[in-house]
Amino acid sequence: MRRVLIALAGLAVVGAGIGLALTRAVPLPASAFDGITGDPARGALVFTAAGCASCHTAPKSEDKTVLSGGQRFGSDFGTFIAPNISPHPQAGIGAWTLPEFASAVTRGVSPEGAHYYPAFPYTSYANMTETDVADLWAHIQTLPADATPSAEHEVGFPFNIRRSLGGWKLLYHQPGWVMEVGDDPVLMRGRYLVEALAHCAECHTPRDALGGLDRSRWMAGAPNPSGSGRIPALTPDALSWSAGDISYYLETGFTPDYDSAGGHMVAVINNFAKLPKSDRDAVAAYVKALPTP
Amino acid sequence: MKRVFATALIAAVACGGVASAQDYSGHLKARQGQFRVLAINLGILGGMAKGEMAYDAAAAQAAADSIVAVSMINQGPLWPEGSDEMGVDGTRAKTTIWEDNADFLAKWSDLGAAAKEMQAAAGTGQAAIGPMMGRVGGTCKACHDAHRAPQS
């Protein structure tokens, strides 16, 4: 009996060790971006397509360059408050290095080695190209520094144990594309915008009980995480708009019957309106290629 | 049996109480009707901007004039307090319209300003309409973002 207990205790220690190893936050190596210098002008387009300002500006702020944080995002797990990501060295991320920034954006790992909550859509950004990450970092450094301190998330037990996010990431942080598009350059660009930068699926795809995206119902619509109503499905069984309609909606906010967008989609459209028409057309092509779930 | 009747009576009174609450159906029709008029005329201009419809200066001008006309309707009487999504069915009007009425009315007058720019541009040529659609659409979105509840 005693031997069994010792064996069990030994197994528990090994198990816990494996668990800790698996749930560790793994940043990119410091040398990851050696020799790469970002282009801030290109980074401005990445910044717009990735929608950084939509969440990281102060609530109701008109100035989309001051990333002082403070917007609140309700969820089943608690309320997440967007942090200050302006280049302020203390309040923001001004003291970070490019590999630290890339670890945050593509791996959800902070410079201190903690996991970020996936309210920050790093599971989408994981598919960003190195060049885009470097350009984005170069652009963010040109924006005004703001001294507003970041607020703590309002998340209760057990979701306040950040280590548990390591387990969540094992399940859901899977870089790689969801939809096969072949080698058509328009569809590939559309997929890059939809699945990586613009992180459309974060709202348009339903989540399972643990808050991970249900990839089997990709873009099939979902309850609005922060309140009433539903985020509409984009799949062909639900959306009959033409590619031209979709592109025009992303430019002006007008639906084919000239109703207009509302809610968070307004911020999305305000960003897409600033991108080249070819990008809006590429997103439309991707949406039209979605399979029926 | 008596108790059943009493319960039914209470239920009837309770339901009646709700039903006899202010009837806003006329206000809702008026509100939604004016947005329909906007949408139909924006559809004419948008169709020309997109090239789905041949450009016709007179038709474009008439559509823009109609949008300006709607934007001049005084909104106050159409939005009585209590005619929000919580109080009545068939509307997505958020209570913020009354909580921050100044903002709501400012956003309506932003539409008016954009509509006048469209009015000045619409008759001058097809190429002038596109940017103005973005301008007018921006004022629609701004108000819907703040004051219209999402589709349920």
Side-chain angles (χ1 to χ4, degrees):
Chain A
M1 189 61 194
R2 200 152 162 212
R3 196 171 289 175
V4 173
L5 279 179
I6 291 169
L8 277 177
L11 271 179
V13 168
V14 171
I18 292 173
L20 282 175
L22 286 175
T23 57
R24 217 157 37 98
V26 186
L28 287 158
S31 60
F33 284 78
D34 278 358
I36 297 181
T37 314
D39 171 352
R42 262 202 89 257
L45 281 179
V46 179
F47 179 80
T48 300
C52 308
S54 304
C55 292
H56 284 282
T57 48
K60 295 189 174 162
S61 162
E62 298 290 328
D63 187 344
K64 298 298 175 196
T65 64
V66 183
L67 306 174
S68 52
Q71 287 188 46
R72 301 168 63 85
F73 299 90
S75 80
D76 293 343
F77 309 99
T79 297
F80 300 100
I81 303 167
N84 182 333
I85 59 160
S86 80
H88 193 281
Q90 285 87 40
I93 63 174
W96 290 14
T97 64
L98 170 55
E100 284 174 339
F101 177 74
S103 296
V105 170
T106 64
R107 296 191 172 194
V109 173
S110 78
E112 296 78 30
H115 293 297
Y116 287 125
Y117 289 102
F120 174 28
Y122 53 80
T123 51
S124 297
Y125 295 155
N127 289 312
M128 276 174 77
T129 63
E130 278 197 341
T131 316
D132 275 4
V133 174
D135 292 348
L136 177 59
W137 176 236
H139 174 70
I140 285 180
Q141 285 173 300
T142 68
L143 300 177
D146 182 281
T148 311
S150 297
E152 288 288 324
H153 298 311
E154 293 163 11
V155 178
F157 184 82
F159 306 113
N160 56 356
I161 304 171
R162 291 215 179 215
R163 190 77 191 206
S164 65
L165 290 165
W168 188 92
K169 283 181 173 177
L170 283 178
L171 292 171
Y172 300 111
H173 187 45
Q174 302 161 336
W177 303 117
V178 175
M179 190 166 84
E180 254 334 302
V181 299
D183 55 5
D184 180 292
V186 174
L187 280 175
M188 284 170 73
R189 177 65 184 166
R191 179 174 67 180
Y192 184 65
L193 287 163
V194 170
E195 294 193 14
L197 293 187
H199 56 279
C200 308
E202 300 282 343
C203 289
H204 284 282
T205 296
R207 293 177 185 273
D208 60 21
L210 291 174
L213 293 180
D214 178 357
R215 290 181 168 208
S216 70
R217 290 188 290 153
W218 191 244
M219 304 294 185
N224 189 337
S226 50
S228 59
R230 282 187 69 80
I231 310 288
L234 306 181
T235 46
D237 53 312
L239 185 73
S240 59
W241 300 3
S242 72
D245 291 338
I246 295 166
S247 178
Y248 196 67
Y249 176 72
L250 293 173
E251 182 188 346
T252 63
F254 285 122
T255 68
D257 58 358
Y258 290 86
D259 190 354
S260 103
H264 191 75
M265 197 60 199
V266 169
V268 176
I269 290 165
N270 290 343
N271 288 329
F272 269 111
K274 295 190 199 116
L275 297 180
K277 180 170 186 295
S278 58
D279 276 351
R280 293 188 291 272
D281 290 346
V283 169
Y286 175 96
V287 169
K288 292 304 287 180
L290 283 169
T292 299
Chain B
M1 198 57 190
K2 213 167 173 186
R3 188 171 294 176
V4 173
F5 274 123
T7 312
L9 187 66
I10 290 165
V13 169
C15 294
V18 171
S20 70
Q22 208 59 44
D23 178 10
Y24 295 120
S25 60
H27 297 88
L28 262 51
K29 274 184 203 150
R31 264 141 59 168
Q32 290 163 7
Q34 66 179 353
F35 295 129
R36 249 6 279 170
V37 177
L38 289 176
I40 287 169
N41 286 288
L42 285 164
I44 295 166
L45 293 162
M48 291 181 193
K50 283 197 264 185
E52 289 169 354
M53 203 188 286
Y55 177 71
D56 172 338
Q61 191 62 58
D65 292 347
S66 298
I67 291 166
V68 171
V70 170
S71 77
M72 289 168 68
I73 296 171
N74 178 29
Q75 293 300 299
L78 306 189
W79 305 86
E81 198 147 1
S83 62
D84 57 78
E85 49 149 358
M86 305 291 188
V88 289
D89 285 337
T91 179
R92 290 157 66 192
K94 283 166 70 172
T95 51
T96 54
I97 291 171
W98 294 270
E99 290 155 10
D100 193 356
N101 194 247
D103 180 71
F104 174 70
L105 294 176
K107 286 185 159 66
W108 179 260
S109 70
D110 288 346
L111 167 69
K116 289 207 177 70
E117 289 175 37
M118 173 68 93
Q119 189 178 36
T124 65
Q126 191 262 354
I129 298 176
M132 283 297 121
M133 286 299 287
R135 171 90 176 83
V136 175
T139 66
C140 303
K141 278 184 289 163
C143 196
H144 290 161
D145 186 19
H147 300 301
R148 184 172 70 167
Q151 218 142 15
S152 51

